[in-house]
Amino acid sequence: MKIVILGDTHIPKRAKHLPKRLLTELKTADAIIHTGDFQTIDVYNDLGVFAPVHGVIGNVDSEELQQMLPSSLLLPFNDVTIGVTHGHGKGKTTEKRALLAFEHEQVDAVIFGHSHIPTHKQIGDITLFNPGSATDKRREKQFSFGLLYILQKNTLRFEHVFYDSKD
């Protein structure tokens, strides 16, 4: 199973459309996870053309998205459970807020956004993953999004895809 992971797209404020590099991967996706800050429902709908979208709200999402999407999700894929949250809030770091959102849940991975900083690390038995941003790299060298492959025996393989142009 191939899952495309993205977040902090901020369309139309930071880009007018989804980047070509991202579109290439979306065409072969089995599912899409968006960590919030779509900005408008149009982005959600555009992604839904490719595969089922599992998304959470971010701190700049429209009222329409806020009424439609949860602040966090538990996604079961086969025997794997993935927690998804945006990660915004007060106090602590974005990473710590993301982990705390699922502290009472049995998760194999926590996927989050908000910081626009690509992250891939192991915290005990939990993989912590932030795809970065496909359209707003801020201080990062490149734009990015993530890929998750769920392999045999429910092994998770996360990857970042880095590129230079948001066109």
Side-chain angles (χ1 to χ4, degrees), residues 25-61:
E25 297 297 339
L26 288 171
K27 290 175 185 174
T28 58
D30 296 306
I32 300 164
I33 294 174
H34 196 295
T35 64
D37 282 358
F38 295 82
Q39 196 167 333
T40 69
I41 197 162
D42 295 336
V43 178
Y44 179 89
N45 292 334
D46 289 347
L47 291 170
V49 170
F50 298 98
V53 179
H54 306 280
V56 296
I57 57 168
N59 55 302
V60 302
D61 284 322

Side-chain angles (χ1 to χ4, degrees), residues 38-161:
F38 295 82
Q39 196 167 333
T40 69
I41 197 162
D42 295 336
V43 178
Y44 179 89
N45 292 334
D46 289 347
L47 291 170
V49 170
F50 298 98
V53 179
H54 306 280
V56 296
I57 57 168
N59 55 302
V60 302
D61 284 322
S62 68
E63 188 174 318
E64 189 174 15
L65 283 166
Q66 289 177 32
Q67 292 174 6
M68 187 177 95
L69 298 174
S71 59
S72 64
L73 273 176
L74 281 175
L75 298 174
F77 291 105
N78 302 328
D79 291 331
V80 171
T81 302
I82 298 169
V84 183
T85 189
H86 186 59
H88 63 289
K90 295 185 178 177
K92 304 195 181 337
T93 65
T94 304
E95 287 181 17
K96 288 180 182 173
R97 287 191 300 267
L99 283 168
L100 283 172
F102 301 100
E103 70 179 330
H104 300 296
E105 305 291 344
Q106 293 280 59
V107 294
D108 298 287
V110 172
I111 298 173
F112 68 103
H114 189 58
S115 68
H116 298 223
I117 300 170
T119 303
H120 182 194
K121 61 173 74 167
Q122 201 68 28
I123 309 287
D125 293 335
I126 299 172
T127 301
L128 192 61
F129 190 85
N130 183 329
S133 176
T135 56
D136 185 13
K137 62 185 175 109
R138 290 187 178 167
R139 294 181 192 96
E140 299 302 309
K141 291 180 182 177
Q142 296 177 297
F143 299 96
S144 63
F145 60 91
L147 299 174
L148 168 58
Y149 296 94
I150 301 177
L151 308 170
Q152 292 176 347
K153 298 181 183 176
N154 293 311
T155 302
L156 302 177
R157 187 178 87 212
F158 286 90
E159 299 175 4
H160 278 104
V161 176

